[in-house]
Amino acid sequence: MDNLIAVVTGANKGIGKEIARQLAGAGLTVYVGSRDAARGGRAVEEIGGDTRPLVLDVTDAPSIADAARQVGALDILVNNAGISGDGKTPEREDTDTFRRVYETNVFGVAAVTNAFLPALRQSAHPRIVNISSGTGSLTLATGPQFPHRGSFAAYRSSKAALNALTVFYAHSLADNGIKVNALAPGLRRTDLNAAAAASEGDPAEAAAGAVRLALLPDDGPSGEFFSWDGTTVPW
Ligand code: NAP
């Protein structure tokens, strides 16, 4: 694993920072993506190991192109950056919030993935991990026990779209040996929103699930949706 190179988007804090920390701890070279250079620099200093700052705003095309040029060779892309919107049900949500959330959580993932694909195609063990959410599962949402019932419509529908993209990328990149999987990290104590901030879930535990998918063996799965503990989540 010493020669593997990873990029983690939105890695200056939260789950992304823990993913970067664990990948660096496993001996990888890790580019710590951050849309703010100072915040990214502080994260790199704190994590240590072979981490490198990478200014990357996933909603900004020139920033994405610059980042892809700076990184060059790449084995692992973790699309972690995400925002939660304001939690409203769909009929109360304004279109701008849908657009803002989709820009980061959906279009940003496609733009970053496509920009780094030429490098990933050159890797012997290419992996893409999309940090999704169990709340984006339509199977769970239509089940009898689901607690959210329409809330966080922009966020949850963006994660359902991200799940779809995960399947479509996995199918279209299968011939290149690129494995693409989605992770449901579980509720974690981060700045994502009030529920996350109030939770007791350890972000490092979720990060371990992402690292498992980032370091999948060559006979591992692709186009699947996993919980942080390695169990399968229904689409
Ligand atoms: P967080 O602490 O708020 O971290 C989000 C990260 O994304 C931050 O580094 C943030 O950067 C970055 N980001 C936001 N917009 C960006 C952009 N346009 N370009 C680049 N980076 C951007 O939240 P988190 O909980 O760690 O979230 C990480 C991922 O886990 C997200 O995809 C989220 O949907 C998912 N998730 C989290 C939970 C949970 O309970 N925490 C549950 C399910 C799924 P700034 O510091 O610059 O804002």
Side-chain angles (χ1 to χ4, degrees), residues 9-17 33-36 39 56-60 79-84 104-105 131-135 155 159 162 183-193 195-196 199 203:
T9 67
N12 55 287
K13 66 178 182 178
I15 294 169
K17 185 162 85 172
S34 172
R35 58 182 163 177
D36 179 87
R39 288 198 288 271
L56 174 51
D57 181 335
V58 305
T59 65
D60 183 71
N79 288 307
N80 165 79
I83 57 174
S84 77
T104 302
N105 296 5
I131 307 303
S132 181
S133 167
T135 68
Y155 177 74
K159 293 299 189 180
L162 176 61
L183 180 85
L187 188 60
R188 302 294 165 180
R189 190 180 52 256
T190 70
D191 295 338
L192 184 72
N193 56 34
S199 89

Side-chain angles (χ1 to χ4, degrees), residues 193-230:
N193 56 34
S199 89
E200 300 200 337
D202 183 353
E205 193 174 50
V211 169
R212 193 179 309 118
L213 296 179
L215 300 179
L216 278 175
D218 290 342
D219 62 354
S222 186
E224 296 193 21
F225 189 14
F226 293 100
S227 177
W228 59 273
D229 63 1

Side-chain angles (χ1 to χ4, degrees), residues 18-36:
E18 295 308 317
I19 295 169
R21 192 194 309 278
Q22 292 179 25
L23 288 172
L28 280 75
T29 297
V30 183
Y31 285 88
V32 175
S34 172
R35 58 182 163 177
D36 179 87

Side-chain angles (χ1 to χ4, degrees), residues 14-178:
I15 294 169
K17 185 162 85 172
E18 295 308 317
I19 295 169
R21 192 194 309 278
Q22 292 179 25
L23 288 172
L28 280 75
T29 297
V30 183
Y31 285 88
V32 175
S34 172
R35 58 182 163 177
D36 179 87
R39 288 198 288 271
R42 281 195 293 274
V44 162
E45 265 177 38
E46 191 197 312
I47 297 169
D50 189 5
T51 51
R52 302 169 187 194
L54 182 70
V55 175
L56 174 51
D57 181 335
V58 305
T59 65
D60 183 71
S63 168
I64 295 168
D66 285 349
R69 263 193 302 273
Q70 184 184 329
V71 170
L74 184 67
D75 303 289
I76 293 161
L77 172 63
V78 183
N79 288 307
N80 165 79
I83 57 174
S84 77
D86 53 23
K88 292 179 182 164
T89 51
E91 78 284 6
R92 292 172 186 273
E93 195 56 272
D94 67 75
T95 315
D96 284 345
T97 302
F98 275 105
R99 286 205 180 92
R100 193 168 52 81
V101 171
Y102 277 56
E103 276 298 339
T104 302
N105 296 5
V106 185
F107 310 145
V109 171
V112 169
T113 300
N114 292 349
F116 282 100
L117 264 184
L120 289 167
R121 287 186 204 275
Q122 302 301 314
S123 167
H125 309 284
R127 308 285 182 260
I128 298 171
V129 184
N130 293 331
I131 307 303
S132 181
S133 167
T135 68
S137 163
L138 295 178
T139 306
L140 295 180
T142 49
Q145 308 294 341
F146 198 68
H148 300 291
R149 306 303 290 182
S151 65
F152 282 96
Y155 177 74
R156 290 171 46 217
S157 62
S158 78
K159 293 299 189 180
L162 176 61
N163 287 350
L165 275 182
T166 301
V167 173
F168 303 156
Y169 270 114
H171 289 173
S172 62
L173 300 176
D175 290 347
N176 300 91
I178 304 180

